[in-house]
Amino acid sequence: MPHRWTRHAAFVCVALFAIVTLPAAAKDAPEKPVLTMAVGGLPGLYYLPVLVANQLGYFKDEGLDVTLEDFAGGSKALEAVVGGSADVGAGAYEHTIFMQAKGQHYRAFVLMGRAPQIVVAVTKSKAGSIRSLADFKGAKVGVSAPGSSTDLVLTVALRKAGVQRSDISAIGVGSGATVLSAVSSGQIDALSNVDPMMTKLQRAGEIKVLVDTRTVKGTQDVFGGTMPAATLYASESFIQKNPKTTQALANAIVRADHWLQHASDADLVKMVPKAYLLNDKALYVEAFHNVRDAYSPDGLMPVDGPATALRALSSFDTQLDPSKIDLNATYTNDFARKAATLVK
């Protein structure tokens, strides 16, 4: 009899445990486990945290099945999010400001980059006539895509040198191997772009670097403060309807941010798809070290970041009225803070 009672009690305990734990598990499950993320140039080191989260299974660990849709630049990825073909965007923080100015509400919810990682350079063939930014008038300048962050950094840097955006011709050249062909064919006189392509061109002596925002210090020299760069962002309605999904995405990216702070060169090369290594592992590693300082260590938006971005964007788009922008509505640190308690 006692033995029979013990078995019955054990069964009751297991049943009660299941009743208690199942709702908790359901509570943590993402509302939208299958989703699409638009990325503005996945081969670029600018988006390396997204690649890390995907390659190392961090999205899957959070119960997410994420399809990465790659685009030539951040502005093209934004179009996909706004158009509804992608649920979430991986792109520059300033897109959220730009969209608010248009009356559309998007919010960055986890930071990947605390510096733009963008280099402005002149090609070797034009280095004699274009010695500084002040000489860019009339130049054909390659950017990943017009309206993208490569265009923004270029515009801000040029205006400091007294050159207006209308004084140049901006040409979209992507951020992958198309950059190399644009330089070698003479299609462009100068370019504003990201690594690893800029390190490859620099190493080969094909460009002369004039502006470098691959480090926090270099970024502060250009923008006068911390300039937040790559983020994950989504519409306000998506975040409100899918808070668990948003949290899961933030968890994966903060985990990737942490990984990048400590990854060895061997870890990096093992993680990156061969197609992205440009058949030169040493070059890729060199490029990574050139930009390593630019990655966020914790996914949190820096205190002075939004205001710096607003100044830059209002310089880029003179029709944007800074007084009409509510910066607090363009980002949130809530998800990254919670992610920090879960990621070790």
Side-chain angles (χ1 to χ4, degrees), residues 24-107:
K27 183 180 179 181
D28 294 331
E31 304 90 348
K32 192 175 177 62
V34 180
L35 56 86
T36 300
M37 181 185 299
V39 187
L42 192 56
L45 289 170
Y46 187 87
Y47 295 105
L48 192 56
V50 172
L51 189 64
V52 171
N54 191 60
Q55 292 293 107
L56 298 185
Y58 294 168
F59 290 134
K60 288 184 179 179
D61 289 347
E62 295 294 331
L64 298 172
D65 179 0
V66 180
T67 297
L68 301 179
E69 292 286 349
D70 198 21
F71 293 86
S75 59
K76 296 298 183 183
L78 175 62
E79 288 176 9
V81 178
V82 175
S85 62
D87 303 292
V88 176
Y93 160 67
E94 64 260 18
H95 291 317
T96 65
I97 300 176
F98 177 67
M99 293 309 294
Q100 189 186 117
K102 290 186 167 187
Q104 299 186 51
H105 302 288
Y106 289 79
R107 191 185 292 266

Side-chain angles (χ1 to χ4, degrees), residues 143-286:
V143 296
S144 60
S148 294
S149 53
T150 52
D151 198 352
L152 169 68
V153 170
L154 171 67
T155 301
V156 172
L158 286 177
R159 285 207 171 148
K160 289 184 69 175
V163 179
Q164 300 304 308
R165 173 66 166 69
S166 57
D167 293 332
I168 67 161
S169 297
I171 301 171
V173 297
S175 58
T178 48
V179 175
L180 305 180
S181 61
V183 172
S184 62
S185 67
Q187 180 186 355
I188 55 176
D189 305 317
L191 69 163
S192 176
N193 223 288
V194 295
D195 271 326
M197 290 305 163
M198 298 307 282
T199 291
K200 183 176 180 65
L201 289 167
Q202 190 176 6
R203 196 186 200 194
E206 294 295 327
I207 58 173
K208 177 185 176 183
V209 173
L210 300 179
V211 175
D212 195 338
T213 66
R214 290 178 290 193
T215 65
V216 173
K217 183 183 182 303
T219 299
Q220 290 173 336
D221 289 344
V222 174
F223 293 99
T226 304
M227 180 68 177
T231 65
L232 289 194
Y233 64 87
S235 67
E236 189 64 42
S237 61
F238 178 91
I239 294 173
Q240 290 181 0
K241 291 177 184 176
N242 305 283
K244 298 170 205 169
T245 305
T246 305
Q247 186 63 62
L249 287 165
N251 292 348
I253 292 299
V254 170
R255 190 176 173 191
D257 285 345
H258 280 234
W259 188 86
L260 285 168
Q261 300 301 311
H262 308 289
S264 67
D265 294 350
D267 291 335
L268 182 73
V269 170
K270 183 179 179 181
M271 182 276 300
V272 176
K274 288 183 179 180
Y276 294 176
L277 293 173
L278 306 174
N279 296 316
D280 192 336
K281 294 178 182 179
L283 168 68
Y284 193 92
V285 169
E286 181 182 344

